[in-house]
Amino acid sequence: MARKLPFLFSYSKMKSLSLSSAKNFETLVLGVGCDGEEAVVPKSVKANKELEKTYSVLPKVLHFSGKHESSVTLLHHTKGLESLGSYNHLVGIGIGSTHDCNPQSLLSLGGKIAHDVKHVKAPSAHVYLVSLYLPASSVMAADAPKDFAGRPLVDSIPSREQALENIALGMLLGAYTFDRYKKKKTDDKKKSEDKAVEIHFSSSYLDPKKVEKIFDRVRILAEGVYLTRDLQ
């Protein structure tokens, strides 16, 4: 019997994120880029005027710089976040620069998202995928990922589909826990902790049918990894 996974993934294609019309999701996850020591709005979401005010708050909190895998969690009543709509929490995830938009970094980014979503103990979260994808302009460009010797990594720039797959897989792998020998909890507490957290991804560019196939592949991979880890 396959082990129950901690997240239940879903997806919708939307032209842009509207905070005022957001429904049913308790936490909003937004990616924040980095330019040196300063947090910057990812180019992919600059056209969304509704998010502009929300993004302007993040760099002012705890000197948040947007460096890869850094994060900050804010409540909806934080000054400047009055327009957060129905979301109770805002999780800002540092996506770094274009150098960090590679398969391995996206896996670890997913793990960081999983940690922060679990930390706020929300039953659901909306991950705005557009804000997490910051690819270099080309493999040979100055802003492209490079190896330790400064040589371009030919297969380093993931497609949008690959980015989603790595982030989703990173979330499941990052949320793995081995609790076979832990003290058994009361039924009510166990039911609460065993309930999968709904993770809803959205973007303006991925086809829902292709995304469903990605989620199926990710679930199969994660279940295999969970089983292997449980048996070790």
Side-chain angles (χ1 to χ4, degrees):
M1 183 172 133
R3 186 173 175 193
K4 186 175 181 180
L5 298 176
F7 297 122
L8 180 64
F9 294 139
S10 61
Y11 172 80
S12 65
K13 187 175 182 180
M14 57 175 63
K15 189 173 181 180
S16 63
L17 175 63
S18 175
L19 297 177
S20 57
S21 61
K23 296 178 181 178
N24 304 325
F25 302 111
E26 202 158 300
T27 300
L28 174 63
V29 178
L30 291 176
V32 183
C34 175
D35 183 9
E37 296 296 319
E38 294 185 3
V40 295
V41 180
K43 293 178 182 178
S44 54
V45 295
K46 278 188 175 180
N48 191 325
K49 298 299 182 183
E50 193 176 358
L51 286 177
E52 190 174 356
K53 188 175 181 181
T54 300
Y55 268 103
S56 69
V57 176
L58 290 170
K60 302 173 185 176
V61 181
L62 302 175
H63 305 290
F64 182 57
S65 65
K67 288 185 177 180
H68 185 251
E69 287 191 74
S70 61
S71 68
V72 62
T73 301
L74 303 174
L75 293 173
H76 71 283
H77 54 68
T78 301
K79 186 177 180 181
L81 293 183
E82 295 82 0
S83 61
L84 204 54
S86 62
Y87 299 108
N88 288 327
H89 300 92
L90 170 65
V91 175
I93 296 289
I95 61 174
S97 66
T98 53
H99 294 277
D100 298 302
C101 189
N102 61 72
Q104 186 57 47
S105 294
L106 291 171
L107 276 172
S108 57
L109 185 67
K112 181 60 178 173
I113 294 172
H115 174 272
D116 285 25
V117 169
K118 296 286 272 185
H119 179 71
V120 299
K121 297 181 179 179
S124 63
H126 180 184
V127 180
Y128 192 42
L129 190 61
V130 176
S131 68
L132 301 175
Y133 186 61
L134 185 67
S137 51
S138 74
V139 173
M140 301 304 294
D143 61 352
K146 296 176 175 58
D147 66 11
F148 66 93
R151 294 169 297 200
L153 296 172
V154 177
D155 297 325
S156 62
I157 302 178
S159 66
R160 291 163 171 173
E161 289 83 0
Q162 291 170 330
L164 170 60
E165 183 168 338
N166 282 28
I167 291 171
L169 182 59
M171 289 186 69
L172 290 175
L173 299 186
Y176 170 84
T177 56
F178 182 76
D179 54 7
R180 182 181 298 171
Y181 303 114
K182 285 186 178 180
K183 185 178 178 181
K184 290 186 177 180
K185 297 169 183 172
T186 61
D187 288 343
D188 289 342
K189 191 171 183 180
K190 189 174 186 303
K191 284 180 182 178
S192 175
E193 292 186 357
D194 284 350
K195 190 174 182 181
V197 177
E198 183 183 358
I199 304 295
H200 185 77
F201 291 91
S202 69
S203 77
S204 58
Y205 44 71
L206 293 181
D207 179 79
K209 290 183 179 179
K210 290 184 178 179
V211 171
E212 193 53 48
K213 290 180 179 179
I214 290 172
F215 288 157
D216 287 341
R217 189 161 55 247
V218 165
R219 282 190 285 267
I220 292 170
L221 288 170
E223 286 170 356
V225 172
Y226 276 39
L227 177 60
T228 303
R229 289 179 176 177
D230 286 347
L231 294 174
Q232 287 180 341

